[in-house]
Amino acid sequence: MRFAALVLAAGSARRFGSDKLSASFLGCPMLDHAIAAARAAPVERVLVVCGNRGAIGTWEGAPVVDALQISSTALSQSLNAGLAAAGDVDGAFVFLGDMPLIPHDVAGRLAGLLGANFAAVPRHNCRNGHPVLLARRAFAEIARLTDDDGARRLLRQRDDIARLEVTSDAILLDVDQREDMALLARRAHDR
């Protein structure tokens, strides 16, 4: 199967107070951690969907990393733009730019579970996390989303979702405020 990875990075970061994805986390911009997790996935291409933040850096090697700029900060708009740009793939992984501790082995395990399902999601203690792997057949339904919830509500309504139980709660941890960044940095050092 052929997959692409989307790294959604177009949010406004209002609660953080500045561009959190450029903020240094463990020695490099937080966004770089999400891109590294996406590159570790079994994908041909990584698309970073970003706002009007300009260049996001230069990446070498495969898979190819491309930046796609959009003017909206709505999660559904970022997701739809990324899926439209993904091209002719069998599915797309959805990573969030503010989740820097995603274990790099999760995406490959999700790919092995997708099969004929609508999506495959990692779970920790009965809570869905990221990355989410959407099958090609999910793209049309995702394209109809208009709110800022992304695909969360749609995925909850379906019974054809493969679920991967994982031991790490890092699939749930994002950065909304500056204190979150310090907490996640401590967690990373404690591993």
Side-chain angles (χ1 to χ4, degrees), residues 16-28:
F16 192 80
S18 64
D19 181 6
K20 67 182 172 183
L21 300 178
S22 295
S24 181
F25 181 78
L26 303 178
C28 61

Side-chain angles (χ1 to χ4, degrees), residues 23 47 60 72 74 95 103 107 131 133 144 146 148 153 175 178 182 184:
L47 287 158
E60 296 176 7
S72 174
F95 291 83
L133 174 54
R144 291 192 286 273
T146 59
D148 206 29
R153 191 176 313 128
V175 173
R178 289 188 183 278
L184 290 188

Side-chain angles (χ1 to χ4, degrees), residues 40-63:
V43 298
E44 298 176 355
R45 184 174 177 209
V46 174
L47 287 158
V48 180
V49 183
C50 54
N52 295 324
R53 70 177 77 250
I56 60 166
T58 302
W59 290 86
E60 296 176 7

Side-chain angles (χ1 to χ4, degrees), residues 74-142:
L75 189 54
S76 62
Q77 295 297 313
S78 295
L79 184 55
N80 287 325
L83 290 175
D88 185 23
V89 293
D90 298 304
F93 290 94
V94 180
F95 291 83
L96 301 182
D98 64 355
M99 295 184 77
L101 298 181
I102 296 293
H104 289 199
D105 68 325
V106 171
R109 293 167 60 201
L110 290 172
L113 289 178
L114 183 61
N117 289 296
F118 187 82
V121 298
R123 289 176 59 86
H124 177 77
N125 287 342
C126 300
R127 293 178 55 205
N128 291 348
H130 279 87
V132 171
L133 174 54
L134 298 169
R136 177 87 188 170
R137 68 185 183 98
F139 293 9
E141 284 190 54
I142 300 291

